[in-house]
Amino acid sequence: MAIIVLARELAALGDETAKELSSMLPNYHYINKEEIEETLQERGITEKMIDRYGEKKPGFFDVFSSAQNQFLHHLKTVLYEKTESGNCILVGQGAPVLLKDVPGVVTFRLICSEEVRIQRIMKRFNCDERRAQLMMTHTDNDRVGFNRYFFDVGWRDPVNYDFIINTERLNAVQTANIIATILPQLVDEEQEIECRKSITNLITGQKILTKALYEEKLPIYFLEVLYDGKTVTLNGVTNAPSCIEAASNIAKEISGCGEVHSNIYIASDLPITHEV
């Protein structure tokens, strides 16, 4: 039960490599962008929100909107639920960060020189060099901004990945072969078991957060739910003391455990709203 995560520059063969991997590894499911976006829309995330926030840097006024928090919450939920059964391949979508500490997850960043990327973009989109350069720069800036804004990480920082692969001299089949060869050396049976547990715990945390914020609409700001399989820890800020008990009861109900630690603090000067 390994999870392969690819981060990619435009025209560094990310999607192509993922497709080849799914063919080489018949038990692995390629969770593509279309599948993720379709599931997000089923959960109430509009196409407009996906276009605005999906692997893009939000605009200046988005900091004042609750829509970005809603998008990120549902993106996390979808990624966790899609990967729960393991043996899957993900490309981008914040997966390298959201699954970073999960055992059995192996992350690869695919890069390539700008010169080769531009040539590939020109061929793929049948455009001139100037247009290809603009597309490359725009996409890179979006992905840098997305990762910095939502996760406070450097998209290009190599320490955020297990392996960096330069695809300049490789095609998608060769790149996939490298990944498929490395994978068995990194993930053993014990990690597979821990992977399933970790993903299940993450899903439980998201269920608690979903009910607290989006069903019960508790006015808790910056709510974070951590579940380790035994204990739930709640972090956040509220202006309504009754919300602390309500959130704890929700956590007990969904997790099935009686031990809930609340680090939700009370700040009386917060605005009265459920948009968190």
Side-chain angles (χ1 to χ4, degrees):
M1 181 186 168
I3 298 174
I4 303 170
V5 177
L6 306 180
R8 78 291 185 215
E9 296 177 331
L10 179 64
L13 307 181
D15 295 321
E16 298 89 338
T17 298
K19 291 176 183 176
E20 292 296 338
L21 275 168
S22 64
S23 298
M24 292 179 185
L25 306 170
N27 294 327
Y28 277 70
H29 170 51
Y30 170 31
I31 305 169
N32 60 35
K33 178 182 178 182
E34 291 73 24
E35 180 179 346
I36 292 171
E37 291 183 353
E38 181 180 339
T39 308
L40 284 171
Q41 290 184 57
E42 290 172 357
R43 294 172 178 271
I45 300 299
T46 65
E47 187 174 346
K48 182 179 179 180
M49 289 173 66
I50 293 172
D51 289 340
R52 191 179 189 109
Y53 301 119
E55 290 196 287
K56 294 181 176 67
K57 178 183 178 181
F60 173 78
F61 291 103
D62 288 309
V63 72
F64 305 106
S65 171
S66 63
Q68 56 168 325
N69 296 328
Q70 184 180 1
F71 170 82
L72 180 59
H73 165 68
H74 286 289
L75 177 63
K76 288 181 179 180
T77 302
V78 169
L79 290 184
Y80 296 154
E81 290 181 352
K82 293 285 185 184
T83 57
E84 186 176 18
S85 60
N87 287 6
C88 56
I89 305 159
L90 280 167
V91 178
Q93 306 296 323
V97 183
L98 296 175
L99 298 172
K100 181 177 177 59
D101 296 322
V102 175
V105 174
V106 187
T107 58
F108 299 84
R109 174 166 156 78
L110 306 187
I111 63 170
C112 189
S113 69
E114 290 191 358
E115 292 79 7
V116 173
R117 293 171 64 197
I118 288 172
Q119 292 301 314
R120 288 175 178 172
I121 293 170
M122 291 170 60
K123 182 178 180 180
R124 177 179 174 184
F125 294 99
N126 191 28
C127 62
D128 60 22
E129 183 175 348
R130 179 178 178 277
R131 177 62 177 166
Q133 174 76 53
L134 289 172
M135 291 175 64
M136 180 183 69
T137 302
H138 180 73
T139 303
D140 284 356
N141 288 340
D142 268 341
R143 291 174 182 169
V144 168
F146 172 78
N147 281 273
R148 179 60 65 191
Y149 184 87
F150 282 108
F151 310 116
D152 195 27
V153 300
W155 178 60
R156 293 188 173 99
D157 192 338
V159 301
N160 293 319
Y161 309 97
D162 296 311
F163 296 92
I164 310 291
I165 300 178
N166 186 341
T167 66
E168 183 168 340
R169 299 172 59 186
L170 304 171
N171 59 35
V173 174
Q174 293 168 327
T175 306
N177 266 316
I178 292 172
I179 294 172
T181 301
I182 291 173
L183 194 65
Q185 304 175 54
L186 300 174
V187 182
D188 56 27
E189 185 176 349
E190 182 179 349
Q191 286 180 313
E192 291 177 355
I193 294 172
E194 290 303 313
C195 180
R196 186 175 293 107
K197 290 180 181 178
S198 294
I199 297 292
T200 299
N201 291 344
L202 288 169
I203 291 172
T204 299
Q206 288 301 107
K207 287 180 178 178
I208 294 169
L209 196 151
T210 297
K211 184 164 185 179
L213 295 187
Y214 300 105
E215 295 178 19
E216 299 299 327
K217 300 187 184 303
L218 300 180
I220 303 175
Y221 293 77
F222 317 115
L223 180 62
E224 179 185 38
V225 181
L226 305 175
Y227 179 59
D228 61 8
K230 297 179 181 179
T231 304
V232 178
T233 301
L234 305 174
N235 298 313
V237 183
T238 185
N239 56 8
S242 60
C243 288
I244 298 176
E245 182 178 359
S248 296
N249 289 337
I250 290 171
K252 291 176 183 177
E253 173 192 341
I254 292 177
S255 68
C257 72
E259 190 171 355
V260 176
H261 297 307
S262 176
N263 296 324
I264 300 176
Y265 295 95
I266 299 173
S268 58
D269 58 344
L270 288 172
I272 301 175
T273 174
H274 67 262
E275 291 189 353
V276 291

